[in-house]
């Protein structure tokens, strides 16, 4: 199937907006000339400008020239900024919001009822095209859903979800990066205690997590099936693992995930 190439505006070229722009160019999903990235102070976007991206502080112009509009503003000014730009949005444009905590109902009221609207929850690994992006939508056709899924698949993997799971997706996917990094840091500290220098311990811990994740993602296995392979009877792995569990390893993770979730929903 021929790849559909649409022009894209990213309104709010901050951490996330710029990372999306970089990923879309690196993956060749779009050519730099088809991409518009806006922010008020455009100096930090020089690297994108040098690649040929249309970098501007003119949101209206960026929207007019694009078929797809990705909004990556902070939640507190989306209403004000996008409300003022409503008249620039044409009915056929696909609108995608990556803004945390703004639901589809609210996005429709900000952007206008006529347009297909998507809500996406990526994580910071989008900067290296390794995000998991949870996606829901309203008013979109099958081909629009497949286009937006393809867009985020170029930045990692996409998981379609029901909107009521968006807060849970924020915790498991976006906050999840921090939980995984804390695991790696703790493993690094353990590694130093048993003899490695910090750099080597960190490298071993990070690549071990990478390999464990790939075993599940590429091998399509259950974690316990892989654990069984390394837990020799009376061996050192099961001794360490059980000691971790006695000290609340799984339980503390589950409780932490629930605490993050309760913080969002209450
Ligand atoms: N970072 C993450 O991991 C992550 C993950 C999932 C979702 N999100 C969501 O993504 C959104 C962006 O997060 P972020 O971390 O990228 O924030 P950020 O770095 O502060 O980016 C927001 C950008 O919006 C620009 N901006 C503000 N007013 C504007 C205007 N009137 N016109 C055009 N641009 C304007 C700001 O630049 P100027 O001040 O120069 O205009 C800034 O660069 C947030 O809603 C966040 O909840 C973030």
């Amino acid at each position: 199937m021929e790849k559909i190439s649409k022009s894209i505006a990213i309104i709010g070229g901050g951490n996330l907006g710029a990372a999306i722009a970089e990923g879309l160019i690196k993956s060749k999903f779009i050519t730099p000339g088809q991409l518009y990235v806006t922010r008020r102070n455009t100096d930090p976007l020089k690297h994108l400008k040098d690649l040929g991206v249309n970098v501007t502080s003119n949101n209206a112009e960026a929207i007019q020239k694009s078929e797809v509009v990705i909004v990556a503003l902070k939640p507190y000014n989306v209403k004000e900024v996008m409300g003022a730009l409503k008249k620039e949005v044409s009915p056929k444009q696909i609108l995608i919001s990556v803004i945390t905590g703004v639901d589809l109902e609210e996005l429709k009221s900000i952007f206008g009822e006529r347009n297909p609207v998507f809500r996406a929850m990526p994580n910071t690994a989008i900067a290296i095209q390794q995000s998991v992006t949870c996606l829901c939508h309203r008013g979109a056709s099958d081909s629009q859903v497949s286009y937006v899924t393809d867009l985020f698949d170029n930045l990692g993997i996409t998981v379609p979800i029901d909107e009521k799971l968006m807060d849970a997706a924020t915790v498991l996917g976006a906050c999840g990066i921090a939980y995984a990094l804390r695991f790696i840091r703790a493993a690094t500290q353990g590694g130093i205690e048993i003899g490695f220098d910090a750099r080597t311990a960190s490298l071993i811990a990070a690549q071990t997590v990478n390999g464990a994740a790939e075993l599940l993602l590429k091998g399509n296995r259950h974690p316990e099936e892989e654990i069984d392979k390394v837990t020799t009877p009376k061996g050192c792995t099961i001794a360490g693992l059980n000691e971790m569990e006695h000290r609340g390893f799984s339980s503390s993770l589950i409780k932490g995930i629930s605490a993050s979730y309760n913080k969002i929903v209450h």
Side-chain angles (χ1 to χ4, degrees):
M1 200 173 73
E2 200 183 319
K3 201 162 179 172
I4 317 151
S5 207
K6 298 182 192 289
S7 48
I8 300 176
I10 299 176
I11 307 299
N15 294 317
L16 189 57
I20 291 173
E22 285 157 33
L24 291 177
I25 293 165
K26 261 191 232 157
S27 66
K28 298 197 168 29
F29 183 80
I30 194 169
T31 59
Q34 290 175 293
L35 188 56
Y36 295 77
V37 183
T38 77
R39 58 180 290 169
R40 289 164 302 184
N41 169 20
T42 58
D43 292 350
L45 299 177
K46 188 179 174 303
H47 64 295
L48 291 176
K49 198 173 184 179
D50 291 346
L51 290 174
V53 174
N54 304 285
V55 169
T56 172
S57 49
N58 189 336
N59 291 326
E61 188 195 358
I63 292 174
Q64 285 158 7
K65 292 197 167 156
S66 301
E67 293 157 274
V68 179
V69 179
I70 300 176
V71 185
L73 295 161
K74 286 284 195 198
Y76 62 78
N77 70 350
V78 60
K79 229 178 198 163
E80 182 199 331
V81 177
M82 290 312 293
L85 292 164
K86 213 169 176 172
K87 58 184 183 310
E88 314 299 342
V89 176
S90 70
K92 279 192 178 160
Q93 279 173 316
I94 299 173
L95 300 170
I96 305 169
S97 162
V98 292
I99 302 162
T100 313
V102 181
D103 64 24
L104 287 170
E105 191 65 35
E106 207 173 340
L107 291 170
K108 279 266 182 194
S109 77
I110 298 169
F111 296 148
E113 294 297 326
R114 308 167 299 176
N115 296 77
V117 175
F118 290 78
R119 195 178 159 195
M121 177 52 62
N123 64 30
T124 48
I126 206 162
I128 52 158
Q129 296 160 260
Q130 289 291 337
S131 175
V132 55
T133 302
C134 292
L135 195 66
C136 61
H137 57 87
R138 192 171 290 181
S141 67
D142 287 352
S143 67
Q144 289 165 334
V145 172
S146 116
Y147 167 81
V148 177
T149 304
D150 191 23
L151 187 156
F152 285 105
D153 278 346
N154 275 273
L155 304 169
I157 63 164
T158 309
V159 179
I161 61 165
D162 197 290
E163 187 175 24
K164 66 177 186 295
L165 285 171
M166 216 18 123
D167 289 333
T170 307
V171 172
L172 205 57
C175 308
I177 284 274
Y179 312 146
L181 289 169
R182 185 57 67 83
F183 171 88
I184 293 170
R185 196 190 80 170
T188 301
Q189 288 169 329
I192 298 167
E193 198 167 313
I194 59 174
F196 286 107
D197 64 86
R199 190 185 285 262
T200 311
S202 173
L203 179 68
I204 294 172
Q207 178 53 29
T208 301
V209 168
N210 201 14
E214 290 286 293
L215 280 172
L216 302 189
L217 292 169
K218 292 201 174 131
N220 203 18
R221 305 262 164 68
H222 187 281
E224 218 51 40
E225 199 184 332
E226 290 300 318
I227 289 174
D228 283 348
K229 287 185 190 166
V230 289
T231 45
T232 312
K234 282 192 152 185
C236 63
T237 310
I238 194 66
L241 211 47
N242 283 347
E243 179 64 20
M244 289 176 197
E245 291 299 349
H246 291 318
R247 290 175 182 271
F249 186 63
S250 295
S251 173
S252 71
L253 268 173
I254 295 163
K255 281 182 178 247
I257 288 168
S258 291
S260 291
Y261 184 73
N262 288 333
K263 187 81 183 172
I264 289 191
V265 296
H266 294 125

